[in-house]
Amino acid sequence: MSSKMPVLFVGHGSPMIALEENKFTEGFQQVVKEIPKPDAIICISAHWETSGTFVTAMENPKTIHDFGGFPRELYEVKYPAPGNPKLVQEIINTIRQLTVEPDYHWGLDHGAWTVLKHLYPNADIPVVQLSLNKNLTPLEHYNLAKELSVFREQNILIIGSGNMVHNLRLLDWQRINDDNYGFDWAISAAEKMNNYIASGNHQPLIDYKTQGTDFQLSIPTPEHYLPMLYILALKTDDENVKCFNHGFVGGSLVMTSLKIG
């Protein structure tokens, strides 16, 4: 077994995934069996966008219920994983591309805890979140991610959480539970993305704004897409990409998840 920790991109979909048992949560539970237990987790979530780059630095990050209109049961879920201030300082010292600042107010948002609840239900692994800096270009995000590669050698699991195709405005609520149903543009974009990923051709994915209408419909805003770029940036030439979890939510969200290494 390689000493280098694998990395994950997880398609998280609706916050309700925290309470569900379906083929996607089964995929989470299966893939974690293929990964050594990490000493800590760095998570890049679609749901923490900031001006500047921040990392959660508290000893005990709170569980953030950053959504509305869901059943009460979902708001009662807690994920009491500890933080890791020592790791935070190492991240701050490691990243040279820009200044990273500690954050003592955020916590774990639903892009993180709804998935971690299935990966590590005991919440016994320290978790820190790295924010998505709204001022960076996709290439700058990709290059920033490369600076995190050193942590793979330290038994730290890096997770990006979002959705490679994510358009809530066009969601078909009548077919929300049909995971085989996708709009033509969503199917097309996902296939193109998967082909670029499989071939190791990341440049078109970085330049997603130039990839035509299917990509424009699939990525109307970048926050759910960018965590995937973070994970792809960490791939080395000798590593394979495993695509686990594939399907749709409401036709316009793709639940593809990736394991590298």
Side-chain angles (χ1 to χ4, degrees):
M1 181 180 294
S2 170
S3 61
K4 186 183 296 182
M5 179 64 72
V7 292
L8 296 178
F9 171 71
V10 291
H12 67 244
S14 163
M16 286 298 292
I17 201 167
L19 301 178
E20 294 170 344
E21 292 291 338
N22 54 36
K23 74 174 189 179
F24 303 125
T25 63
E26 289 172 3
F28 297 150
Q29 293 157 9
Q30 182 60 41
V31 78
V32 78
K33 296 176 183 178
E34 306 170 12
I35 298 174
K37 185 174 182 178
D39 293 327
I41 295 168
I42 300 172
C43 184
I44 300 96
S45 164
H47 295 282
W48 192 24
E49 292 185 280
T50 55
S51 292
T53 301
F54 297 87
V55 61
T56 53
M58 63 286 291
E59 292 275 0
N60 296 289
K62 62 186 176 183
T63 304
I64 304 173
H65 298 86
D66 49 332
F67 43 72
F70 290 93
R72 179 176 178 180
E73 181 183 7
L74 186 59
Y75 297 91
E76 294 174 348
V77 176
K78 304 293 183 186
Y79 191 78
N84 190 327
K86 180 176 181 292
L87 173 58
V88 168
Q89 192 58 53
E90 291 177 1
I91 293 171
I92 291 171
N93 293 341
T94 297
I95 293 177
R96 300 296 184 184
Q97 177 178 323
L98 44 69
T99 299
V100 179
E101 299 181 57
D103 174 89
Y104 299 95
H105 304 288
W106 190 246
L108 302 180
D109 60 54
H110 81 267
W113 65 262
T114 61
V115 175
L116 290 171
K117 180 177 178 291
H118 294 286
L119 293 172
Y120 300 105
N122 294 329
D124 57 347
I125 299 172
V127 182
V128 301
Q129 278 197 225
L130 181 68
S131 73
L132 287 173
N133 187 336
K134 294 184 290 186
N135 302 320
L136 301 185
T137 66
L139 179 59
E140 287 170 332
H141 281 289
Y142 185 86
N143 289 334
L144 171 60
K146 285 186 174 296
E147 296 195 71
L148 298 174
S149 62
V150 62
F151 296 107
R152 297 186 63 190
E153 309 287 349
Q154 300 177 22
N155 203 44
I156 293 170
L157 176 62
I158 302 173
I159 300 175
S161 178
N163 289 98
M164 59 198 298
V165 172
H166 185 275
N167 192 326
L168 289 182
R169 293 175 298 169
L170 298 181
L171 200 71
D172 186 346
W173 292 96
Q174 301 303 313
R175 303 187 70 170
I176 196 73
N177 294 316
D178 183 355
D179 57 45
N180 292 312
Y181 170 68
F183 293 115
D184 288 346
W185 52 265
I187 295 171
S188 172
E191 287 179 350
K192 291 175 184 175
M193 291 177 194
N194 286 332
N195 288 337
Y196 287 138
I197 291 167
S199 66
N201 186 8
H202 296 170
Q203 195 60 51
L205 297 168
I206 295 168
D207 297 331
Y208 69 89
K209 292 181 180 179
T210 68
Q211 298 303 304
T213 302
D214 291 345
F215 273 60
Q216 292 170 14
L217 287 169
S218 299
I219 315 166
T221 55
E223 75 286 342
H224 278 79
Y225 179 83
L226 290 172
M228 184 180 73
L229 290 186
Y230 275 74
I231 298 311
L232 293 178
L234 290 164
K235 179 184 179 299
T236 57
D237 292 340
D238 61 337
E239 289 184 305
N240 295 321
V241 182
K242 175 182 178 180
C243 177
F244 70 98
N245 281 2
H246 184 71
F248 297 84
V249 173
S252 64
L253 271 68
V254 171
M255 296 294 287
T256 300
S257 295
L258 306 170
K259 171 180 171 283
I260 295 174

